[in-house]
Amino acid sequence: MRYRILMSLLTLALITHSCKESAQTETATEFSLEYEKFVLDNGLEVILHVDKSDPIVAVATMMHVGSNREKPGRTGFAHFFEHMSFNDSENVPVGANRKMIPEWGGSRNGGTWSDGTVYYEVVPKDAFEKILWIDSDRFGYMINTVTEAALEREKQVVKNEKRQRVDNAPYGYTDEIIRKNLYPEGHPYSWTVIGSLPDLQAATLADVKEFYNEFYGAANASLVIAGDIDIEETKQLVEKWFGEIPRGPEVKPMEPMPVTLTETKSLYFKDNFAKLPELRMVFPTVEDYNEEMYALDVLGSLLSGSKKSPLYKAVVEEGKLAPNVGSYQNSQELAGEFVIRVRANEGVALDDVKAAIDAGLQDFETNGFTDNELQRIKAELETQLYNGVSTVLNKAFQLVQDNEFGQDPAYISKRTKFYQEVDREAVMAAYEKYIKGKNYVMTSVVPKENPELAISGAKEAEVWIEEVTAMKDNEQVGQGEEAQYEKTPSKYDRSEPPFGEAPLFKMPEVWEGELANGMKTYGIENSELPLINFTITIPGGHRLDPMDKAGLASLTADLMSEGTALKTPAELEEAIGLLGSSIGIYSGLEETVISGNCLARNFEQTMALVEEMVLQPRWDEKEFERLMQELKTGLKGREANPTAIAAINFNKLIYGPDHIYSVPTNGTLETAENITLDDVKAFYEANIKPGNASFHVVGDLSQAKVEAALSGLSERWTGEATTQANWTVNPAGEAGTLYFIDVPNSKQSVLYIGKMALSAADADSPKLGFANEILGGGSSGRLFQVLRIGKGYTYGAYSRVPARADIAPFTISTSVRANATLPSLEIIQKMVQDYGPGFTEADVALTKNKVVKQNTRAFESFGAKLGILQSISKYGLSNDFVDKEQQLLMNMSLEDFKAVIGDYIQESEMIYVVVGDKATQFEEVKKLGLDVVELDIFGNPVN
């Protein structure tokens, strides 16, 4: 994981305060991020930031240890230790970290990358001291509680994460291949962060304790607390909870270790899951916080970040070899990489892609770039600056990252200055020094049946691949006995502190209006940042697609973004970028959405561009052909994704093959062939109307100013509402049946289990959401707690009902270790069968507490506030619907919960979809006792 946020190239204010340093930097007056820093006697550096806009607090602890500190033969250990840290500690009940925090209404997680590990939480302010209790106990008092059983259980969880993200994913091994060949053996970046499965399995209890004692001292960390806090009170609490944590041994800083390649290396890999060939070129460059990094960042955007970029023109526009191309700088603590990446169209030879990249780079050398292109990047980065600090957690990430790795919580000011100073000479110097004529590592990852698509002369890469076997003894894990140990003495009472005063969620004030053309307007004025987020929703979307032309609404939305009658696609993109704005048009299941994000001062100009896009689409034949090819490439790539295969076939079985929801919003390869440009024009003329549309806006503008900026749309965009299509649900799947889909050599099985439930407009919808919390609502739900925490079968397991105006299914989903497929199915089956009868008064109380407290942080972001407005307009809810739903919850009795579970979560009415390795799992799943039907990846019966 990485938390460095690109900051503005423009001059933005940053006012910083420190109790240790009296110097104050002020570069302008537009933006401030105030903080106070102090250091405990044990060396822990603490940064506090006050933000009272919501009654919540974010806590982020950054440990200066990542996979770069690991030993050969113990790769993946830093990430593995992060997992271990969330288990037990001396003064906190077993499993509390993952279970109690969500029950308090909070969220928690962690992340490890090459250079560091971060632990973070966001909680309602009444749980502030409780989170300091848990966080400090995890940090300083966990090592005595680690047992062999916990070690073996967590090994299975991490191995499942690797299977899900690497082994069972197309292109999952590419990072490993690059690292092995870019960095010399023994270099701290020559292995992946997640490591190898044999290394993970070999980890011992002694390894865990050695790693903790060496790297988890207080002096090797930074702590940030941001949110609704009192500075002086927080200092006292930090001293109490964190002050006794041992300093730890000195961890010597690692100096930069840049690499130089003596030759270009070309490798290929035949991927079991990939359906499309992918080329990457990776050049060694500079480490993070190196001043040359900023020019390389900008270079990446200039080479591929717009339709005017030379790589885009050569690969996509002229070569028609791929739907897009990416180039970017990735700097880490010790070294950096400049990456060029192309996932090509089906059947394209990567030699042709490489030739196009070379042509694009030659174009850049010859013709350079315009001043407007550089200015566009600067303008976009200013908006990114504000988006990057729009929540207390984002602020905490920024402060803790820069303190620990930049030695300055206020490094944002230096970063801004460095970006501001990037000019033409700096960009070209970076290109000459690190890219032009330099050696690199090149990978060709191709479908296993098409090795001829790889770069000519490439050498086959060596990758260790796990064999799917029956469950081994060391894979059968459980909670085990708790450790026996003598508690670490403390001068403080380290038992669980009480809750503070309960915060109350206050529904933001919503204004409403209606324009002359019938479009309704909804807004929340918010002056925390000079930003605006907005959407226009036009009901219809995929629901209006003809079945034989599924994907038409989506393609129409995509083409509306490709230029206007007055501007080419490149000119429109540049006009939006020069404002620092973003505008997107997409189609979902039930609506077409025009969304945007901009600085408040540029809202009127941004809306003028939206008006032009809506009223004067370009309908460019060349862009239509490009988008059609991009669509087909994406649809082919989707065939390689086991999770997508499971979800698509689940929907087909639930809704029936004649319902439009049985087909994804972007259609299929077959339906794409039926769509013409004339179809797109006709769909636009018939359905993109304001009569039933809604405009939603959150940000630093009044209703009057917003509606003034919409006056052009109000006058010139006219038309009555489209008649909505009616689709009949006629399920193809039969309750009590398991449908198995073979993806050979899958290291995991994807499970989708469920039944049709209800619409989000149904009065029972919030009740079902409440009733699901105990079963599958996040990491505290029983699915997660048993399948991951108890058994180590999965990386995550959840249940939900998607919010739709049409009827939607109750769905349980997870990906489990292949040889744990049957045990996982048995656990889920029994858990759902027992859920209603076993629901208790304690479950009722826990649900009420959890949901009400979650609401204090659920609507912090601009996006979440937009979600409030969209729910009001789409489902006809009142402006205080969140308050009313809370009251509904508080009035629900145990009998009410049981009735809802009985109506919508009945296991006997569910279907089961399993996507996995037939050779090892097909006979196993038959033991579940259900009828078993085999389907191919497209949902057709086999045999």
Side-chain angles (χ1 to χ4, degrees), residues 583-637:
I583 302 171
I585 306 179
Y586 66 91
S587 179
L589 281 177
E590 299 178 328
E591 57 266 313
T592 295
V593 180
I594 303 164
S595 64
N597 170 237
C598 63
L599 298 170
R601 67 173 186 266
N602 292 334
F603 178 67
E604 186 174 350
Q605 294 164 284
T606 302
M607 289 312 304
L609 292 173
V610 170
E611 180 183 335
E612 190 176 321
M613 294 167 70
V614 171
L615 298 179
Q616 303 179 76
R618 189 173 184 85
W619 304 140
D620 189 299
E621 181 78 39
K622 184 175 70 172
E623 287 301 315
F624 173 78
E625 292 174 359
R626 182 187 65 79
L627 287 174
M628 180 60 75
Q629 182 58 63
E630 178 179 329
L631 172 62
K632 291 177 180 178
T633 297
L635 294 173
K636 188 64 180 178

Side-chain angles (χ1 to χ4, degrees), residues 394-642:
N394 283 348
K395 293 174 183 177
F397 282 155
Q398 188 63 62
L399 290 165
V400 79
Q401 173 89 16
D402 282 338
N403 184 74
E404 190 59 43
F405 292 93
Q407 291 76 53
D408 182 4
Y411 195 88
I412 183 175
S413 59
K414 297 176 184 176
R415 184 180 291 112
T416 299
K417 175 177 176 291
F418 290 139
Y419 274 120
Q420 181 189 12
E421 292 173 349
V422 172
D423 57 15
R424 183 178 303 277
E425 289 70 26
V427 171
M428 296 311 297
Y431 177 79
E432 294 279 343
K433 185 174 181 179
Y434 295 104
I435 311 301
K436 183 179 178 180
K438 305 304 178 185
N439 293 319
Y440 50 88
V441 171
M442 179 164 55
T443 57
S444 305
V445 178
V446 295
K448 63 180 180 181
E449 62 274 13
N450 297 119
E452 73 279 0
L453 299 179
I455 291 286
S456 300
K459 176 184 175 183
E460 186 167 9
E462 296 181 2
V463 174
W464 183 87
I465 297 177
E466 180 188 24
E467 181 183 355
V468 178
T469 63
M471 191 177 295
K472 301 172 184 176
D473 289 342
N474 62 17
E475 292 178 321
Q476 300 191 36
V477 297
Q479 179 63 41
E481 296 294 325
E482 291 187 37
Q484 300 299 313
Y485 58 89
E486 186 175 332
K487 273 194 175 184
T488 304
S490 172
K491 64 182 178 182
Y492 298 108
D493 176 5
R494 303 200 71 87
S495 60
E496 181 177 358
F499 282 109
E501 182 179 354
L504 294 176
F505 169 72
K506 295 181 180 178
M507 186 86 174
E509 184 176 343
V510 175
W511 57 258
E512 294 187 30
E514 184 172 342
L515 303 181
N517 63 358
M519 182 166 68
K520 293 181 172 59
T521 57
Y522 303 82
I524 296 173
E525 188 172 351
N526 185 300
S527 59
E528 292 177 32
L529 293 168
L531 286 176
I532 300 291
N533 278 27
F534 64 86
T535 60
I536 300 172
T537 57
I538 308 164
H542 188 48
R543 283 184 58 84
L544 299 177
D545 280 344
M547 182 62 78
D548 65 338
K549 296 183 179 182
L552 175 58
S554 178
L555 191 59
T556 302
D558 289 345
L559 194 56
M560 287 176 67
S561 299
E562 299 300 329
T564 70
L566 305 177
K567 293 181 178 68
T568 66
E571 289 168 345
L572 176 63
E573 181 185 62
E574 184 173 84
I576 295 169
L578 286 170
L579 294 172
S581 303
S582 61
I583 302 171
I585 306 179
Y586 66 91
S587 179
L589 281 177
E590 299 178 328
E591 57 266 313
T592 295
V593 180
I594 303 164
S595 64
N597 170 237
C598 63
L599 298 170
R601 67 173 186 266
N602 292 334
F603 178 67
E604 186 174 350
Q605 294 164 284
T606 302
M607 289 312 304
L609 292 173
V610 170
E611 180 183 335
E612 190 176 321
M613 294 167 70
V614 171
L615 298 179
Q616 303 179 76
R618 189 173 184 85
W619 304 140
D620 189 299
E621 181 78 39
K622 184 175 70 172
E623 287 301 315
F624 173 78
E625 292 174 359
R626 182 187 65 79
L627 287 174
M628 180 60 75
Q629 182 58 63
E630 178 179 329
L631 172 62
K632 291 177 180 178
T633 297
L635 294 173
K636 188 64 180 178
R638 189 174 67 195
E639 295 176 9
N641 186 327

Side-chain angles (χ1 to χ4, degrees), residues 675-690:
I675 300 174
T676 67
L677 181 56
D678 285 339
D679 292 328
V680 169
K681 293 177 181 178
F683 186 93
Y684 165 83
E685 291 293 342
N687 301 310
I688 306 302
K689 303 293 184 183

Side-chain angles (χ1 to χ4, degrees), residues 110-412:
T112 304
W113 65 107
S114 295
D115 310 313
T117 305
V118 68
Y119 301 88
Y120 55 93
E121 303 90 11
V122 182
V123 293
K125 65 177 295 185
D126 69 327
F128 173 41
E129 188 170 5
K130 285 181 180 288
I131 206 63
L132 296 186
W133 164 64
I134 277 191
D135 209 54
S136 62
D137 221 54
R138 173 200 51 73
F139 187 171
Y141 302 87
M142 59 78 65
I143 198 62
N144 289 334
T145 68
V146 178
T147 63
E148 290 285 355
L151 180 74
E152 294 305 318
R153 185 180 67 247
E154 208 60 41
K155 284 179 184 178
Q156 301 312 315
V157 172
V158 175
K159 288 161 72 175
N160 282 325
E161 180 180 357
K162 183 178 186 293
R163 294 180 184 113
Q164 182 170 322
R165 295 185 173 183
V166 178
D167 304 346
N168 228 47
Y171 319 101
Y173 291 113
T174 310
D175 183 44
E176 178 181 342
I177 296 168
I178 290 170
R179 284 174 176 263
K180 283 183 177 178
N181 289 279
L182 182 63
Y183 299 101
E185 186 175 356
H187 189 287
Y189 292 165
S190 62
W191 53 83
T192 63
V193 174
I194 205 162
S196 74
L197 293 189
D199 283 1
L200 288 171
Q201 189 58 50
T204 67
L205 201 57
D207 293 328
V208 173
K209 293 183 176 181
E210 179 186 15
F211 190 87
Y212 176 83
N213 290 329
E214 185 172 359
F215 296 114
Y216 270 67
N220 196 40
S222 294
L223 170 69
V224 169
I225 300 171
D228 189 0
I229 59 172
D230 175 84
I231 291 287
E232 294 307 316
E233 178 188 12
T234 301
K235 286 181 179 179
Q236 295 173 16
L237 290 174
V238 168
E239 177 62 45
K240 170 185 174 181
W241 292 109
F242 291 85
E244 292 183 318
I245 296 173
R247 168 180 285 271
E250 179 185 2
V251 179
K252 294 183 179 179
M254 298 182 75
E255 295 300 321
M257 300 174 64
V259 296
T260 301
L261 294 173
T262 58
E263 61 178 350
T264 290
K265 301 179 182 180
S266 179
L267 303 110
Y268 78 94
F269 177 69
K270 293 179 287 186
D271 194 303
N272 183 60
F273 296 96
K275 298 297 182 181
L276 305 168
E278 182 186 270
L279 181 72
R280 295 192 205 183
M281 298 168 62
V282 183
F283 298 79
T285 60
V286 300
E287 73 280 0
D288 208 354
Y289 298 95
N290 182 306
E291 292 185 24
E292 289 183 299
M293 179 192 76
Y294 306 101
L296 286 162
D297 259 338
V298 174
L299 173 64
S301 293
L302 288 169
L303 286 176
S304 68
S306 76
K307 295 181 185 299
K308 291 186 175 182
S309 299
L311 292 182
Y312 179 88
K313 288 191 295 184
V315 174
V316 179
E317 195 172 87
E318 297 166 6
K320 297 180 173 58
L321 302 171
N324 49 58
V325 55
S327 57
Y328 55 91
Q329 169 65 19
N330 177 34
S331 288
Q332 301 185 91
E333 185 178 22
L334 307 181
E337 305 162 5
F338 189 90
V339 181
I340 299 174
R341 176 177 175 177
V342 179
R343 188 166 298 170
N345 296 329
E346 182 183 9
V348 168
L350 293 180
D351 280 324
D352 294 337
V353 174
K354 175 61 167 58
I357 290 172
D358 290 343
L361 294 177
Q362 183 60 54
D363 178 20
F364 182 74
E365 293 174 24
T366 303
N367 300 310
F369 53 91
T370 66
D371 292 340
N372 266 2
E373 289 175 87
L374 186 57
Q375 183 57 37
R376 171 186 60 81
I377 295 170
K378 293 181 178 184
E380 289 170 346
L381 286 171
E382 181 182 3
T383 307
Q384 288 177 27
L385 164 68
Y386 290 113
N387 286 326
V389 292
S390 61
T391 67
V392 291
L393 183 58
N394 283 348
K395 293 174 183 177
F397 282 155
Q398 188 63 62
L399 290 165
V400 79
Q401 173 89 16
D402 282 338
N403 184 74
E404 190 59 43
F405 292 93
Q407 291 76 53
D408 182 4
Y411 195 88
I412 183 175

Side-chain angles (χ1 to χ4, degrees), residues 834-847:
D834 295 345
Y835 188 54
F839 208 85
T840 66
E841 290 286 2
D843 295 328
V844 173
L846 180 57
T847 300

